Every structure is written in C-alpha cells, then in structure tokens.
Amino acid sequence: MSSIDASTTRDSGKTAPESGHPPPPPLVNFFGVDFALRLLLFASTISALIVMVTSKQTKLIPTSLSPPFPAYVSRAAKFNHSPAFIYTVAALAVTCFYSIITIFTSAFVISNPFPSTKMLFNMILFDALMAGIMASATGATGGVAYIGLKGNSHVNWNKICNVYDKFCRHIGASALVSLIASIILVILVIVSSYSLYRRS
Amino acid sequence: MSSIDASTTRDSGKTAPESGHPPPPPLVNFFGVDFALRLLLFASTISALIVMVTSKQTKLIPTSLSPPFPAYVSRAAKFNHSPAFIYTVAALAVTCFYSIITIFTSAFVISNPFPSTKMLFNMILFDALMAGIMASATGATGGVAYIGLKGNSHVNWNKICNVYDKFCRHIGASALVSLIASIILVILVIVSSYSLYRRS
C-alpha cells in the first residue's frame, strides 16, 4: 500500500514542473548500506558477547606470605563478579537479538525500491534506543575495566590485570568491539534519517 | 501562530482532492517541544556538572590502629581522582555547551513555520552523537559509582561511600541527572525524526 502511495507521489511529482510545482524528491535507497551495517552490528555484538562470556580465568593466589609454607588458594575472575559486566552482557545479547530481527527487516525492504517512511522512522526510533543502551554498557565496562587495568591509588583499589591477564584481555577486547557496535548504531540512525531527509 | 498555520493546512488539505493533486503533507511543527526539551537538557546538564564538580569531600582517615596514639591523615575524595568521572565532566560540559547553541537554533526556528528538512537532519545527526557520548559517560559514572557504593569483594575493592558520604551523594545525583540528560537526547532524536517523517 505504501509503495502505491509512493509511486503515485512520484508520478504527480514528474508532471509537477510543468504545472509549476517543485521538482520531485530524488529516488534514494540506502537499504544496501543499512543491510551491510546491520550484518556488521550482528558480527560485532555476537563476537563481543562470546569474548565477554568466555573471559573466566582461574589463578592460584598466595594467601600466606611466609616462604617456607606458601599457601595458595584458587580464585577465579569471571564477568559475573561485576554488575557492570553483567549489564554489558545483557545489553550485547539484546542488541544481538535486535540486529538479527532488523537484518531480516532490512533484507525484506531491499526488494522494495520504495520503503515506507513510517518504517524508516521506526528504525530510527529503535536504533536510537539501542544506541543509548549499547553506549551506556560500553561506558560502564570501560570505566570498570580501566580500574582493573590501572587501579585507583586514591581509594586503594588495586589493579588486577597483572594477575588476571587473559581475563583482562577478554574484557578489553569486548569493550572495544562494544564501542564499535555503539558507533554502528549511531551511524544507522544517521543513515535512516538521511534517507528520510532525502525523501522529504 | 502555529494554530493559524495548522488551520491553513487543514483548509488547503480540504481543497486538495478537488483539484486532483495528492493532499499536501500535513504541516507539523514540533519545535515547541524541541525547544522545551533543549531547555530541560541545558538545566539537567548544568546541574549535573555543578553537582559533580562540587563533590569534593575531605575526611580524617585513621592511619595507625594503636588506640593510645591515633594518627589521622586528611584525605580528600574528588571527582578528578577517577578517569571515569573526568570523562563525565567533559561530556557534561560539551553537552551543556551544545544545548546552549541548539536552544538558540530552536528559538530561531520557532519563528519559521516551515523549518528546512536539512536542519532537522542536522539536528538528528548531532543529537544522536551527543546521545551516544552522554550515555557512555552515564554508564562509566554508574559503573564506577556502584563499586564505590557496594565495593567488589572478589577483587578486594572496598566501598568508600561509608566514609565519603557527601561525595557519594553528589556522584549519585550527578549520575541520575546525566541519565535524564541522555534520555532527553534520545527523545530529541525521535522528535526530530518524527517531524521529518511527517514532512516526507
């Protein structure tokens, strides 16, 4: 129904200059870019999710300082020891699921040269929400991971990345890929709104 | 003024089907809402910024545990002891400055009943970028503030909010108001894209 409306508008637009109306809006379809970006979003969120979830590392930590009787205790570092990392895993899972749904939406739309503007608006709406969620999750992970990397001498929070090296590498990589996912979501908002602008 | 324009559109919409042309796009102007939201954004960012910057608290911390000779050292908690809080202050300052500029832009546009769609697109672009920056700053502050509030027993990061109560109240209030600012920015993206959708 929307494609019929769009073609009607185009037809009337073509005859418009003769009758003194403004020229028709140029036909633009950025859904190829949109589709590629959504595939990239899926790849980045699923990889960040897997890297974050598989970050568990167990180390033997010395508990007694007397050298003749060194006592060690096995302590694990896992993502679910920090609420910030749990939030990030949840945000990544939601965004990954969202990207799968919108990949199909985008693929469905590519076949239609005149996507409805209502759909573009809906995509901007949900992309903007998801961008906010992913950006806040990236910020939370980055803030906590930085303390793990450098520590904070003012409040005696010791760095842990000298002990849990693999854990820190996983968290750092996940934070970086989450940042990329956030940037992709902001670009998706801009691409959709540019399509809407060219259609207006 | 906007009510006059709205009635004009309604009248022209009524006459359109008779002349065979498609009805003109309905005249919508959400710049009143836009202006109000930008004022709110300015208020929230400036208050969050002031609350964050004035969070300094100095306490006497006991250094010696022997009761006959208690030694105290004066230690301050400031926002610039944490990189996450410094980033948040920078993001709040940038967003506050941005809100001042766009308040004037929005006020200028209110006088024009037909704002250009290019301007709407530019507003979506910058609002989306700012929403990403503010959301990540809110996430970073929230992540670090939560450790300050609850601590993390897995890595021996002690909570500090039992000592620096005023500091923690300031940081918590600032994080909450930053969250409101992020939500306002996402709503601004949605309002601008809805205007663009109604104009298309």
Side-chain angles (χ1 to χ4, degrees):
Chain A
M1 183 181 157
S2 60
S3 62
I4 296 168
D5 294 344
S7 61
T8 315
T9 318
R10 200 172 11 125
D11 291 342
S12 66
K14 272 178 186 167
T15 55
E18 294 153 22
S19 57
H21 285 290
L27 175 58
V28 280
N29 194 336
F30 291 103
F31 273 86
V33 179
D34 189 275
F35 183 73
L37 281 173
R38 282 180 203 284
L39 277 180
L40 209 59
L41 179 67
F42 171 70
S44 59
T45 48
I46 194 89
S47 55
L49 189 61
I50 291 171
V51 167
M52 177 75 97
V53 169
T54 59
S55 61
K56 186 180 174 185
Q57 187 182 20
T58 308
K59 280 264 183 175
L60 288 174
I61 308 290
T63 51
S64 163
L65 290 175
S66 55
F69 311 105
Y72 290 93
V73 62
S74 166
R75 290 188 79 171
K78 285 162 76 180
F79 79 90
N80 56 4
H81 288 175
S82 162
F85 297 160
I86 295 172
Y87 172 58
T88 305
V89 165
L92 282 169
V94 169
T95 312
C96 186
F97 184 67
Y98 171 77
S99 73
I100 294 170
I101 296 171
T102 51
I103 280 170
F104 285 108
T105 319
S106 200
F108 180 74
V109 164
I110 283 177
S111 56
N112 177 9
F114 284 98
S116 78
T117 52
K118 185 163 192 180
M119 187 155 161
L120 283 169
F121 168 66
N122 284 335
M123 279 188 159
I124 294 174
L125 199 159
F126 289 109
D127 285 346
L129 282 177
M130 284 291 158
I133 291 170
M134 270 310 299
S136 62
T138 307
T141 301
V144 175
Y146 192 85
I147 298 174
L149 184 68
K150 297 275 181 184
N152 192 328
S153 58
H154 300 283
V155 288
N156 292 326
W157 292 347
N158 300 313
K159 58 182 170 187
I160 59 157
C161 287
N162 47 353
V163 180
Y164 296 103
D165 51 345
K166 180 205 143 199
F167 176 73
C168 275
R169 264 184 280 119
H170 275 240
I171 297 293
S174 183
L176 188 69
V177 181
S178 299
L179 178 64
I180 293 170
S182 312
I183 293 170
I184 290 172
L185 279 163
V186 172
I187 294 174
L188 277 170
V189 169
I190 294 169
V191 167
S192 296
S193 60
Y194 188 68
S195 300
L196 208 51
Y197 159 59
R198 292 293 293 271
R199 292 282 298 274
S200 64
Chain B
M1 186 176 159
S2 61
S3 63
I4 296 169
D5 296 330
S7 62
T8 316
T9 317
R10 215 170 342 127
D11 291 343
S12 65
K14 273 175 189 168
T15 55
E18 292 157 22
S19 57
H21 287 292
L27 176 58
V28 280
N29 196 335
F30 291 102
F31 274 87
V33 179
D34 189 276
F35 183 73
L37 282 172
R38 283 179 203 283
L39 277 180
L40 209 59
L41 179 67
F42 171 71
S44 59
T45 48
I46 194 90
S47 56
L49 189 61
I50 291 170
V51 168
M52 177 74 97
V53 169
T54 59
S55 61
K56 186 180 175 184
Q57 188 182 18
T58 307
K59 280 263 182 175
L60 289 173
I61 308 291
T63 51
S64 165
L65 290 175
S66 54
F69 311 106
Y72 291 93
V73 63
S74 166
R75 289 189 78 173
K78 286 162 75 180
F79 80 88
N80 55 4
H81 288 175
S82 162
F85 296 160
I86 295 173
Y87 172 58
T88 306
V89 165
L92 282 169
V94 168
T95 312
C96 186
F97 184 66
Y98 171 76
S99 73
I100 294 170
I101 295 172
T102 52
I103 280 170
F104 285 108
T105 319
S106 200
F108 180 75
V109 164
I110 284 177
S111 55
N112 177 11
F114 281 101
S116 78
T117 51
K118 186 164 192 178
M119 187 154 162
L120 283 168
F121 168 66
N122 285 335
M123 279 187 158
I124 294 173
L125 199 159
F126 288 109
D127 285 346
L129 282 177
M130 284 291 159
I133 291 170
M134 270 311 299
S136 62
T138 308
T141 302
V144 175
Y146 191 85
I147 298 174
L149 185 66
K150 298 276 180 181
N152 192 328
S153 59
H154 300 284
V155 288
N156 291 326
W157 292 346
N158 299 313
K159 59 181 169 187
I160 59 156
C161 286
N162 46 353
V163 180
Y164 297 102
D165 51 344
K166 179 205 145 198
F167 176 73
C168 275
R169 264 185 280 118
H170 275 238
I171 296 294
S174 182
L176 188 69
V177 181
S178 299
L179 178 64
I180 294 170
S182 311
I183 293 170
I184 290 172
L185 279 163
V186 171
I187 294 173
L188 276 171
V189 169
I190 294 169
V191 167
S192 295
S193 60
Y194 188 68
S195 300
L196 209 50
Y197 160 59
R198 293 293 294 271
R199 292 282 298 274
S200 65

